[in-house]
Every structure is written in structure tokens, then in C-alpha cells.
Amino acid sequence: MIWVAQMLAGPMLWGGLFSAVYGLHGLGCALDWPDRATPLGPLHPGGMILLWLVGLGLHGLLVALNRAGGSETQRLLVRSGNWVGAVASAVTLLPVIVTSSCG
Amino acid sequence: MTEDQHAIAPNPPRKALLLHRQLDRVWSDLPGWRGTVCSVNHGTIGLRFMATSFAFFAIGGVLAMLIRAQLATRDGAFLDTQLYNQIFTMHGSIMMFLFAIPMLEGLSMWLLPKILGARDMAFPRLGALGYWCYLFGGIIILSSLLFGVAPDGGWFMYVPLSGKTYSPGINADVWLLGVTFVEISAVAAAVEIIVTILRLRAAGMALTRMPLMGWYMLGTAAMMLVGFPPLILGSILLELERAFDWPFFEVMRGGSPMLWQHLFWLFGHPEVYIIFLPAAGVLSTIIPVFARVPILGYGAIVAAILGLVFLSFGLWVHHMFTVGIPHMALAFFSAASALVAVPTSVQIFAWIGTMWAGRVELRLPMLHVAGFFLTFVMGGLTGVMLAMVPFNWQAHDTHFVVAHLHYVLVGGFVFPILAGITYWMPMISGRFRVRALGETAFWLILVGFHGTFFLMHLTGLLGMPRRIDRYPDNPEWEWLNLISSIGGMVMAMGFALFVLDIAMQWLFGRRSHRNPWRAPTLDWAMALPAPSYNFASLPGPGRDDAGAILPLARGEGLLPGAPRNRREVLVTDAGTGRPSHVAVMPGNTALPIWTAMVLGSFFLLMLAGLYVVTPLAIAAILWAGWQWGGFMGSRADAPAIQAAPGLSLPEHWQVRQTLAYSGTVTLLVADGTLYASLLFGVGFLTVIAPNWPAPVSGLGLGALLTAGAALSVMTVATLAARLAETRRATPSGAGFALAGVLAAGLALVLLGGLAMLLDDPRRHARDALRAVLLGYSVFHGVVALMLGLRSLCDARQGRTGSQRRGAAPVWQLFQTFWLTTSVLSLGVIAVQEIG
Amino acid sequence: MLIGSGLITVLVLALAGLAVWRGPRPSDERRWTIWWGLGFSMSVLAVLLAFALWAGERMIARDDGALQVQAEAQQWGWRFVQPGPSGPVETEGVLYVPAGQPFDIVLTSRDVIHSFWVPQLGGKMDAIPGHRNVHRLMADAPGTHEGLCAEFCGIGHAAMRFEVVVYDPAAPPPFVSAESLP
Ligand code: HEM
Ligand SMILES: [Cu+2]
Ligand SMILES: [Cu+2]
């Protein structure tokens, strides 16, 4: 059953990351973070972009470190799971670098 | 996996007829009316679900015809507005909650054990309970229409319109209470389906080799488990607001109407995929049969299911694009909504590829599959269009959306289900169908459907909003609506003919020979119509497809017959399918219907506003719940059962990882989701709702001490529950159980004391949320206490032993869950006090 | 977008039709699931999404000093406030806006959720009690447009309509002064 956990890891990571970024976005807009600047640029998009990149890094690790054994179908499923999560995180959170944050 | 190859030696062949008699005596329903009331057999319950949901489909369809008649002309002079509002609300709610969901529950209950090689679902009584809750809830909802007090706020019941101020009548309560009552059956079905798929597959059937239908239903059930709790929570909160004036959605006192929308759509969007996935499972089962080749891309399809299950929880805000959420948040959900089309497209192309590889026979089920393609593809594409914010702002809440949602629901659910019904009908009735009727029905439905909904896209783009009963100033919409209405009548004729076809098949069809479609899956490895016990002996490695029909009937498989005169099933390991133990199932009993009745009495009392009497109903529910435990546990260790030569397995009373244990874990996932939704509500209102911070609270040191004491005693109870299990073979076991029960009781008393100290929940949303957090804790305390008492009885009455554990493992699970959520809840309140 | 969807529908149905009418032929799993299933759908969606994000970004209201009007919804009618020569002017059921310049509507509600929609001018936006939504629109030429409430709001929902009068900024109606326009 370990392979099932490996298969679910990618999508679960997406779920966590998506909730975290979405939560951060809501919190930031409610607390007027976009107006606050840090030396590295505006706080709000900055924080979300950072979180996103960290998440993508974790996804990269998952994909790279995948050592699933077992039958061919099992390996295919684990690999697909990893990629489903990675692509989902990349695409659904892409707007953090594209759109304006609280407008 | 090498385990797959572990051969299991065959049992010696016997006379099939003798085995049949022996098994049928044990597994069949009681004769006469007692059979109706007492049946727990998955075949009976599954068919009942399907038949009842089809009846609700017909009622929903009649309401749809009324809608279409009203909209055919612009002055629509035949229904008044109030009635029209009730009718479209009831149409939507019936179709979603009383047709689609129960239909898929019924299909999976009826089919899963057959296609996975089992004799029954994992929790037969739970299935029956679910059915009665569904039936009673459905009747309550429906009768409101007769009394003219049906819900009228639209199927998503937006607040404040459905709040007490703007809907003072009983209408909204009918929806909230009735739908919640029905949802008991959805959660029960989800638990049952998951445990059945994971633990009752044929011996040696690894997950990676199970028929795709199993994967689809596993995905569906997982989504139901996580998708329904937000709706249930939302309904409870709204009913509390309506009944007791606790503000959660009212802006003046710190609530927000947006919370309802989030909770509703957190359920509502996944709901669409909950409906679609089983239908796609039917397609993945039927298409290879009629193309005469194996399905193409098994792994890709499983991966697509995985993607759908997760992604569909990241889309809900696309129903809220116009509520004034910042563009970035909209963009997240817009991107996710586009992405979710990818797994769908993978499946569609895998199906096309399968048909490409084979020679397709256009038999009747396959015609309905063609209907799916002709309809669903377009619905999916309009869905992608609606996911784009600029277009959504134009088309949202117009008849374009009405067209889209029917293309998806009828294309993605109704057509596949019709395909499934015609496909499995020989197994249900044991007969072939009568010629030509079915084809005519199909063409009428197809033509009627597109006649109704194709031009409706244009109606919407021309600006006609949904949910209006007349449009006197817009003659330009009239001809479009008239065409839609005519199309609707044609479709209705098609459905009537479909029902006639089924009835004719049942009454006059020729007797079918077995496996009429020459399908490969296990569901066809049985005589027709399907016997009450499915398999005379259970499939195993090398005997797990339709070809094994004769050896299985002769008892060469596992656990042949019913030599011990009780319902026995084989429980396997979740991943590999290695045999684990033999579970003994409950037989015919009236307990499910009694339990559903006392539950129903609670909902009816709430509906009538007789709140002072509800404690009686709650006591009755507890009493009924207590009876359920009576079947579990055994007074003596039983010898191992020989399932096949060289394969001896223990009975379920002597193992820890029982079906009940798996079921409780699964149920707690749903429960945990409900709790997480509640925490989401707390966070959401704190951050987003206007009129925060809340007024100063009256909590002080006394409350802190009480809470601390409650948590400490709860911890003691949890430890005692643990010890009660580990020391079960010694005399101290009963002592620990008693200590645990006393501690749990004391914790409940302390929680009650804490409730006295809370501020009036009617004052502000924060105070209302605190009361709910506390109520949640008390509720779980009561369940934990009941399980503790059950464990105590087990220990006292000698139902525990070195191997037999009684209810203790399940008690521990609940006790731990109670403790964890209570720590979190009281922690949240503490943080609010400090912050 | 409509045409694109139509083409895709025809393409998919043609493939399905071909699969049925022509007999069995070799069918490669990778080609169907990877190339068609993933590749084709993802490229189409990427283009669509990029366009939608770009268009959406242009539609949002910004603090750039555009003309602001207020719309307050209640069961079942609309009250508008627009700038006049001597302070704000309130109207019921009719909104006056100048042609050729973007304007922001500030939406609020006194009771339940309503939604402001003028099909000919563009997208809709909800009016929600306790919230204040800002929606940007623009009318190109003078004229009169019909507006309606798009969110179901009870018995009077179907009749909850209003009118938008778009005037020539050079000749504003008497109670709207040219000076008050930005
Ligand atoms: C039998 C053929 C059907 C017809 C002619 C039909 C017709 C309609 C029409 C005209 C509306 C719009 C009402 C309005 O906005 O005023 C509607 C709404 C709706 N329909 Fe159907 N329908 C049919 C089948 C179904 C099925 C099979 C489902 C689901 C499985 C379904 C689910 C819904 C839902 C959820 C709504 C939205 C209700 C609301 O706005 O609250 N319909 N239907
Ligand atoms: Cu959706
Ligand atoms: Cu309105």
C-alpha cells in the first residue's frame, strides 16, 4: 500500500499548497498587505510567489526522488500521481505572477 | 506484484443445485411484507435505490415539463410566481439529491459486490438504513410540494434570501432538514463503497487489476466523503440560524452570506464530478465489451480519475465569479477549472481509442453511449468557456448556464445510466428485451434533448436570465423558448417509452441465457437473474473473470456454500487482495427501518418547531444506536474456517482490522472534513466578515479551568480505552473500561458546565461559532461514551478474550478523535480570547 | 471561442464516428492518451486561459479617477446615485452615464443578494448585503439599454429591471452637469 501513498503524495501536496496560497491571498487582501513594502518588493505577492516556488521545489523533489517499485501499472500510477500534482500546482497557482493581487 | 500469482487450490466440485439451495436459504429476503421491511441484501437494496430514484426522476421530469410549459410563451399565464419558484427549486433539488446521487448509490450497491467478486456490501444494515433515510427524507421533501410549502429559494438556497427574515415560512426548513436527512444515506453509502472496494475484492485481485468500475467508484466515494460534509455543516448552521437565531450569515451580527456560498459550492462543484465519475465507470465498462477489445489505457484512466478527484475540489469559486472576489483569486479557480478538462479529455480519447481498436457493435447500450458523446463533449466545452472569467460575467445566471448544466448532467449522467440500465437489465430481470421499443425511445430522447437545450445557449446569450417565470418585454426570446418547450415534450415521450421498454422486458421478454453480451467481468459469472448470494463459491486467482462461471457455481472457489448457516464473506487485504479473514454478516433485520424512523422523527420535530420534544427523539436515536452494537462480538473463540484447501482463515471477531474498524476510520475522515469546514468558517468570518471584532466576552479564569479539567479527564478516558483493549484478557480489562466510561462521562459534565459559561450565542457570530464548537465536542463525547459502555458490556459479559477485542478498538478511535478535536476547538477559543 | 468549441466538438465526434464506422485497426495507447488526451487539450486550454487572464486583468476596476456612480439594490428595485451640479442626484430605476468613457458602479444591497446586469454593456456583478463591489463598464454611444437583476431574489425577481440612459457627454441631461464629469 506504500505505492498508494506515493501516488497520492503529489495531489495532496497540491491540495496543501493551493489552500495555503489561497488562504494567504485572502488574509493579505483583508489585512491590506499589498500596501506594505519589504526590501525585496511588495509583501503580499512576494509572499505568495515565495510559497509557490517552495511548493514547486517540493514537487520537483517528489518527481525526481520517485523510487516506486512493483508492477508496471503501479509505477505508472505513482509517476502519474507525481506529475498530476506538479502540473496542478504549476498551472492553478500561476496567476500569482500574472494577475494583480487584490483588485 | 508476485502475490497476485499465489495460487489457491480449488475446493472439490459439488452439485451446483445443492449449493444454491443452501445459500439461497441463508441469503434471500424473508417472504412477504417482512422481506420488504427487513431486507439488508445489497441486491435488493441496490435495486430499491435505483427504482426509487427513477421514480423521483419522473417527478422531477414532470416539474421540468411544467417549467417548460410556463416558459413557452412570454406571459406564461398558468403558474403564479410563487408556485413557479417552488417548482424550479424542487426540480433542481430533486434531480440532484433525490435522483442522481441515490441512483449512483444504488448502482454501486447493486453492482460492486458482483463485479468485485463478493457476496454483499461491507455494511448491509447501513445500506438498508441509508435507503430508508433516503425514502423518508424524499417523502418529506415531496409532500411539502403537495401542501404548497415547498422550498423556493433555488437549489443552492442562497442566504439571506433563504434566511428567516426573507423566507419566514417552513419552506427553507424543509430543504435544509430534508436534504440533510437524505445526506445520511450519501455518507453511509460512501463509507460502505470505500470499505467494500478496499476489503471485499476477490482473493488475489490487486488494486492495479481491479475492473475500472472499482476505481471510478472508489474515486466517487472518496469525493462524497469529503464533499458532503461542507454542505451538511452549512445546512446545520443555517438551520441553527433560522431556528434559534444564532447568526452565522447575518451581516449585522458578524456573519457573512459569502460563507454559505463557499460551503455550498465546496460541496456543489465536487457534486458534479461525484455524479459524472460513476457514469464514466459505466462507459469504461460497456465500451470495451461492445468494441470486443480490452480497454485502452487502463493506467492513464486511473491517473485521470486521480486528477479529477483532487482537482474538482479546487474549482468551487467558479460558481462565485461575480460576487466581487479579487481577480487573482478568480484566476486560481479559472486555471483549475480549465485544467480539470484535461483528465476528462484523456478519458474521452481513451474511449475513442478503444473503439478505434475494435469493431463496434451498435447494440442498444452502445446507442446510449453514442448519446453520451453527442451531448457531453459540447457540455464540457461550454463548461470550459464558462470557466473564463470575462465570458462568465456575461453568461452567468442566464439560460446559457441552464443549457450547459443540462448538457453535462444529461450527457454525462443520464445517457450513461440509460446505457448501464439497458446493459445490466438482463442480469436484473433474467430476460432479453423486446425489439425496437428501446431504439425509438433513444432517438426521441436524443432529438428531444437537443431540441430543448441546443438553442437555449442562444437564449442565454440574448440575455434571458434563469429563474424567471415570465418575460413580457422580450418578445425576441419567445420563439426560442417555444422550440425548447416542444423539444422538452418530445424528450418526455422518449423517457416514457424507455420505462415502457423496461416494463415490457420484465414482463414479456424471452429468458436470457447467461452472459448475453459476452462480457469479460465477474458480474457475468453468475446465473441470470443474479442470485441473492451472487457466487456459490468466491472467485480467486485464475478464477476471477466471467469465464469462471461453472467452477464457481460448482463450489470450486473459496468459501463454498453456507455450511455454517450464516452469511459469510471473504475479507482481503486492501492493496494486494490477499485473503485476511472471514466476516460474518448480519441477516434480515428490521433495525435499519426502526433507526431511520427515529431519525426521521427527530427531523420532523425540528421541522414542526417542537424543539422541547426533540430530546425524546434523541434518546430514541441513542437507544436505536445501542441496538446496532448487539450483533458485534462473540462469547467464544471459534476455530479457523477452511476457505480452500490449505487456506485457513479466522473469523472477524478474532482480528483487529475488521470491516467495522476500516469503516470507522473512513467515517472519521468525513467527520474530520466536517470539522475542518467548521474551522474554515471560523477563519473565514474572522477575516472577511464585516462587523468584527466581536464584543468583549464574558469568559474568564473559571472557563479556563473548566476547559482544562475537561481536556484532562478526556485524556484519561482515552488512555483508559487503550488499556481496556491491551489488558482485555486480564480481569483488569473491565476495570479500565469502567474507568474510561466514568472519565468520559465526567468530561461531558464539564463540557456542559463550560457551555453555561459561554456568551449568548445570539449575540454575535463568534459566540454562535463557539457554541457550535462546543456542541460538536459534546456530540462526539456522547458517541464515545456509548462505545465505552459497549466495551464495558463486552468485558463484563465475556465477549473479550485474548483474541476477541469487542468494541474497544472502535471506542479508542472515537475517543482519540474526540480528544483531538476538543483540544483544537478549545485552543481556537483560547486564541480568540488572547488575540 | 464559440467557433473554436464548435470545431473541437465536430473533431471529437468525427473521431468517435470514424472509430465506429471503420473496422478494427491498430490503436496506439500513447497516441490517444498522451498526444490527444494531454497534448491537444492542454495546448488549447493554455491559449484560452492566457487570453482570459489578459482580458480579465483589463476589466477590473482601478482607482484611476473614473466616474463613479452608486447602485443600491433592494427587493425589488434599483436606486442609483450619480454626480449632479449641486451634489449627488438620486434616481429610481434609471441610471444616467456618459458615452465613451469608463465608469465604475459601486454596488450595495439593502436586503438579499441581487446582481447588476446590462447585457449590452458587459458582464454582471452581484450586490451583496454587507459588501461593497465595484464594477467597471463602458458604453460606446448614446442610447438606452435595458438592465436587469440576474441573481434570483424572490417573488419580484423577474420584474426587477432598470434602464441605463447613455448620454452624449457634450449634452448631458439637465440634472447632470458637465463639470461633475471627470
Ligand atoms: C427531463 C428533462 C429536463 C428538462 C426539460 C429540464 C428543464 C430545466 C429548466 C428549463 C430549468 C431552468 C429553470 C429556470 O431557470 O427557470 C432547469 C433547471 C435545472 N435543472 Fe433541469 N431539466 C431536465 C432534466 C434535468 C436533469 C436530469 C437534471 C440533473 C440531473 C436537472 C438539473 C437541473 C438543475 C440543478 C437546475 C437548476 C435549478 C435552479 O435554478 O435552482 N435537470 N431544468
Ligand atoms: Cu462547478
Ligand atoms: Cu434582485
Side-chain angles (χ1 to χ4, degrees):
Chain A
M1 283 299 271
I2 296 187
W3 68 272
V4 176
Q6 286 175 316
M7 170 175 85
L8 295 178
M12 298 278 248
L13 180 56
W14 167 77
L17 192 65
F18 190 77
S19 322
V21 174
Y22 180 55
L24 193 64
H25 174 262
L27 207 62
C29 290
L31 301 182
D32 283 335
W33 284 355
D35 299 341
R36 251 180 260 177
T38 67
L40 292 174
L43 173 66
H44 192 219
M48 288 190 288
I49 292 175
L50 193 69
L51 198 58
W52 182 50
L53 291 179
V54 170
L56 287 186
L58 290 177
H59 274 297
L61 280 181
L62 264 186
V63 172
L65 297 182
N66 164 24
R67 293 270 178 283
S71 72
E72 197 188 328
T73 317
Q74 271 177 33
R75 274 178 286 136
L76 173 72
L77 289 181
V78 172
R79 204 163 359 106
S80 314
N82 288 337
W83 276 106
V84 167
V87 172
S89 288
V91 174
T92 57
L93 294 176
L94 183 74
V96 293
I97 53 169
V98 180
T99 58
S100 53
S101 53
C102 296
Chain B
M1 277 269 176
T2 45
E3 283 96 327
D4 300 1
Q5 270 73 56
H6 273 325
I8 296 177
N11 279 304
R14 286 195 266 160
K15 268 219 153 56
L17 192 61
L18 292 181
L19 282 176
H20 167 76
R21 289 214 184 110
Q22 192 184 49
L23 278 155
D24 202 47
R25 204 179 54 237
V26 172
W27 283 88
S28 60
D29 300 336
L30 298 171
W33 64 269
R34 284 167 60 225
T36 315
V37 174
C38 298
S39 173
V40 294
N41 187 299
H42 80 98
T44 312
I45 302 289
L47 287 182
R48 272 187 204 165
F49 258 111
M50 287 197 270
T52 313
S53 71
F54 217 82
F56 278 114
F57 177 64
I59 297 169
V62 170
L63 296 179
M65 291 308 108
L66 291 179
I67 298 177
R68 281 308 344 158
Q70 170 82 0
L71 293 180
T73 55
R74 66 187 125 127
D75 290 319
F78 105 104
L79 298 171
D80 68 4
T81 309
Q82 199 184 359
L83 194 56
Y84 183 80
N85 294 351
Q86 294 188 11
I87 285 181
F88 77 72
T89 303
M90 286 294 276
H91 164 71
S93 308
I94 288 181
M95 287 297 192
M96 301 305 263
F97 297 109
L98 301 180
F99 161 61
I101 297 285
M103 173 61 92
L104 72 88
E105 287 165 14
L107 179 67
S108 54
M109 281 187 201
W110 178 80
L111 178 65
L112 276 178
K114 297 182 169 61
I115 208 167
L116 297 175
R119 286 197 179 123
D120 207 331
M121 293 290 283
F123 306 112
R125 294 183 302 174
L126 198 59
L129 171 69
Y131 175 74
W132 295 117
C133 287
Y134 159 53
L135 183 67
F136 296 157
I139 291 176
I140 294 178
I141 296 179
L142 208 58
S143 47
S144 71
L145 199 57
L146 297 180
F147 296 117
V149 290
D152 54 3
W155 88 281
F156 35 80
M157 294 288 288
Y158 275 1
V159 286
L161 183 60
S162 57
K164 198 81 182 168
T165 321
Y166 302 103
S167 300
I170 195 179
N171 313 47
D173 303 305
V174 171
W175 194 98
L176 294 167
L177 294 166
V179 168
T180 305
F181 189 24
V182 172
E183 286 341 319
I184 293 178
S185 73
V187 175
V191 171
E192 256 199 304
I193 292 171
I194 290 185
V195 178
T196 303
I197 295 175
L198 290 181
R199 310 281 325 263
L200 289 185
R201 296 194 311 277
M205 184 190 276
L207 269 184
T208 45
R209 284 183 48 248
M210 105 176 133
L212 277 172
M213 192 70 194
W215 280 108
Y216 276 106
M217 287 312 309
L218 189 60
T220 308
M223 290 180 66
M224 285 166 77
L225 209 57
V226 183
F228 276 101
L231 173 70
I232 295 177
L233 176 75
S235 304
I236 294 176
L237 295 187
L238 184 50
E239 187 54 33
L240 285 174
E241 178 173 305
R242 289 181 55 89
F244 305 118
D245 197 24
W246 295 10
F248 301 101
F249 308 107
E250 192 199 299
V251 178
M252 291 307 295
R253 288 180 282 164
S256 165
M258 301 323 298
L259 177 60
W260 171 264
Q261 298 198 8
H262 279 290
L263 289 175
F264 185 89
W265 291 116
L266 210 46
F267 146 81
H269 191 86
E271 153 94 342
V272 180
Y273 287 86
I274 291 172
I275 292 177
F276 173 62
L277 279 184
V282 172
L283 296 172
S284 291
T285 310
I286 292 184
I287 291 177
V289 170
F290 290 100
R292 303 260 160 258
V293 287
I295 186 91
L296 172 132
Y298 179 97
I301 291 183
V302 178
I305 298 172
L306 179 71
L308 277 179
V309 168
F310 276 88
L311 278 175
S312 58
F313 282 95
L315 314 179
W316 80 92
V317 170
H318 71 205
H319 297 268
M320 303 165 58
F321 276 168
T322 62
V323 303
I325 289 177
H327 188 221
M328 183 183 283
L330 300 188
F332 294 155
F333 290 91
S334 181
S337 311
L339 196 62
V340 79
V342 175
T344 312
S345 121
V346 168
Q347 292 173 74
I348 290 190
F349 284 111
W351 293 326
I352 296 183
T354 307
M355 299 196 295
W356 198 270
R359 181 183 301 281
V360 179
E361 293 174 21
L362 274 182
R363 312 281 290 272
L364 183 59
M366 209 53 198
L367 278 185
H368 287 289
V369 173
F372 155 82
F373 275 105
L374 287 168
T375 310
F376 182 78
V377 174
M378 229 170 93
L381 285 165
T382 50
V384 172
M385 288 157 70
L386 283 168
M388 301 301 136
V389 178
F391 181 75
N392 182 289
W393 283 8
Q394 191 65 28
H396 178 70
D397 266 336
T398 66
H399 270 72
F400 187 91
V401 171
V402 178
H404 154 72
L405 77 94
H406 287 86
Y407 265 83
V408 180
L409 289 171
V410 176
F413 186 72
V414 177
F415 274 120
I417 287 294
L418 297 183
I421 293 178
T422 46
Y423 175 73
W424 277 293
M425 208 45 208
M427 197 190 296
I428 297 174
S429 68
R431 293 169 188 275
F432 286 121
R433 60 190 194 85
V434 183
R435 225 159 257 293
L437 220 48
E439 280 81 358
T440 319
F442 164 75
W443 286 110
L444 282 178
I445 295 173
L446 185 75
V447 172
F449 175 81
H450 288 272
T452 315
F453 291 106
F454 186 72
L455 285 176
M456 204 185 277
H457 292 108
L458 182 60
T459 321
L461 292 179
L462 287 181
M464 178 161 168
R466 66 197 279 196
R467 299 173 168 179
I468 59 171
D469 61 326
R470 57 198 74 208
Y471 42 97
D473 305 329
N474 299 83
E476 73 276 17
W477 301 339
E478 196 166 34
W479 66 278
L480 292 164
N481 276 298
L482 187 61
I483 295 180
S484 288
S485 297
I486 297 172
M489 304 303 150
V490 174
M491 183 172 22
M493 273 156 44
F495 281 114
L497 215 53
F498 183 88
V499 174
L500 184 68
D501 182 35
I502 299 293
M504 297 289 278
Q505 173 166 4
W506 211 302
L507 297 174
F508 306 116
R510 263 184 313 119
R511 294 214 62 89
S512 167
H513 52 76
R514 45 181 184 245
N515 201 355
W517 313 113
R518 287 180 290 133
T521 41
L522 261 177
D523 43 336
W524 296 100
M526 56 185 73
L528 302 185
S532 54
Y533 51 86
N534 291 342
F535 302 98
S537 64
L538 293 172
R543 283 187 299 270
D544 59 1
D545 57 26
I549 179 164
L550 291 179
L552 291 182
R554 283 195 304 254
E556 293 179 34
L558 286 72
L559 280 182
R564 284 161 292 275
N565 260 321
R566 48 183 200 189
R567 303 188 177 188
E568 290 177 346
V569 298
L570 181 78
V571 183
T572 52
D573 170 75
T576 57
R578 213 179 303 128
S580 142
H581 62 268
V582 173
V584 180
M585 295 290 189
N588 297 314
T589 159
L591 193 52
I593 191 171
W594 278 117
T595 312
M597 278 183 186
V598 290
L599 282 167
S601 70
F602 171 75
F603 283 100
L604 279 176
L605 288 175
M606 287 292 293
L607 198 56
L610 299 172
Y611 306 120
V612 281
V613 200
T614 48
L616 281 180
I618 294 176
I621 293 172
L622 291 180
W623 169 81
W626 179 257
Q627 304 300 316
W628 283 64
F631 172 77
M632 299 164 190
S634 128
R635 283 178 195 274
D637 285 334
I641 293 174
Q642 178 142 20
L647 181 67
S648 292
L649 299 170
E651 281 180 11
H652 76 267
W653 290 298
Q654 276 130 266
V655 290
R656 188 160 202 272
Q657 298 292 324
T658 54
L659 295 177
Y661 190 84
S662 305
T664 311
V665 173
T666 317
L667 181 64
L668 286 179
V669 172
D671 204 346
T673 314
L674 186 92
Y675 185 70
S677 314
L678 181 56
L679 291 187
F680 167 78
V682 175
F684 182 84
L685 289 186
T686 313
V687 175
I688 303 287
N691 298 325
W692 279 63
V696 181
S697 83
L699 293 186
L701 190 62
L704 186 66
L705 291 179
T706 320
L711 291 182
S712 320
V713 197
M714 237 182 260
T715 316
V716 171
T718 311
L719 291 175
R722 235 196 119 64
L723 288 169
E725 185 189 345
T726 46
R727 304 280 167 84
R728 64 188 174 276
T730 68
S732 63
F736 282 116
L738 181 63
V741 167
L742 290 177
L746 183 58
L748 271 175
V749 172
L750 287 167
L751 287 179
L754 194 57
M756 299 292 152
L757 298 174
L758 285 187
D759 298 295
D760 183 356
R762 282 170 300 185
R763 188 173 62 159
H764 190 268
R766 184 203 57 192
D767 304 324
L769 284 168
R770 285 180 178 177
V772 174
L773 284 171
L774 202 63
Y776 183 87
S777 180
V778 169
F779 174 80
H780 286 82
V782 172
V783 177
L785 187 66
M786 297 266 292
L787 288 165
L789 282 172
R790 181 49 76 190
S791 306
L792 183 60
C793 284
D794 285 343
R796 283 278 172 79
Q797 298 170 354
R799 303 211 295 182
T800 50
S802 61
Q803 316 208 333
R804 288 166 290 121
R805 295 157 198 269
V810 172
W811 177 26
Q812 271 177 64
L813 280 176
F814 255 92
Q815 192 67 48
T816 313
F817 186 83
W818 180 30
L819 179 64
T820 316
T821 51
S822 302
V823 169
L824 284 172
S825 297
L826 296 178
V828 165
I829 298 180
V831 169
Q832 282 178 339
E833 284 302 298
I834 299 165
Chain C
M1 198 160 60
L2 288 170
I3 298 174
S5 294
L7 287 179
I8 297 176
T9 311
V10 171
L11 176 72
V12 173
L13 292 180
L15 282 174
L18 272 181
V20 174
W21 297 129
R22 299 164 71 171
R25 47 188 52 232
S27 180
D28 174 38
E29 176 175 337
R30 289 186 73 80
R31 188 180 60 179
W32 289 108
T33 56
I34 307 276
W35 291 114
W36 281 103
L38 288 179
F40 171 68
S41 64
M42 283 177 90
S43 4
V44 173
L45 290 170
V47 174
L48 192 60
L49 189 64
F51 176 73
L53 289 183
W54 172 75
E57 196 63 11
R58 286 196 331 161
M59 279 175 22
I60 45 184
R62 293 209 159 71
D63 293 336
D64 52 7
L67 172 74
Q68 263 204 354
V69 296
Q70 259 121 47
E72 191 183 48
Q74 66 172 0
Q75 282 177 333
W76 291 277
W78 297 87
R79 195 167 306 157
F80 300 101
V81 177
Q82 45 256 303
S86 47
V89 175
E90 207 178 295
T91 50
E92 201 141 317
V94 194
L95 170 67
Y96 295 88
V97 292
Q101 62 185 72
F103 59 95
D104 285 346
I105 309 153
V106 180
L107 290 156
T108 51
S109 164
R110 285 160 67 109
D111 40 42
V112 304
I113 300 177
H114 303 269
S115 187
F116 176 98
W117 189 31
V118 186
Q120 272 124 358
L121 294 188
K124 53 185 76 67
M125 181 62 76
D126 294 355
I128 301 175
H131 290 248
R132 178 179 173 279
N133 283 335
V134 184
H135 187 46
R136 172 153 300 186
L137 286 177
M138 188 170 105
D140 293 323
T144 306
H145 301 294
E146 251 210 292
L148 44 87
C149 171
E151 181 64 60
F152 179 64
C153 55
I155 298 274
H157 169 58
M160 192 170 155
R161 302 202 160 198
F162 58 94
E163 227 170 49
V164 177
V165 177
V166 183
Y167 56 85
D168 181 352
F175 61 89
V176 181
S177 75
E179 304 90 75
S180 62
L181 298 179

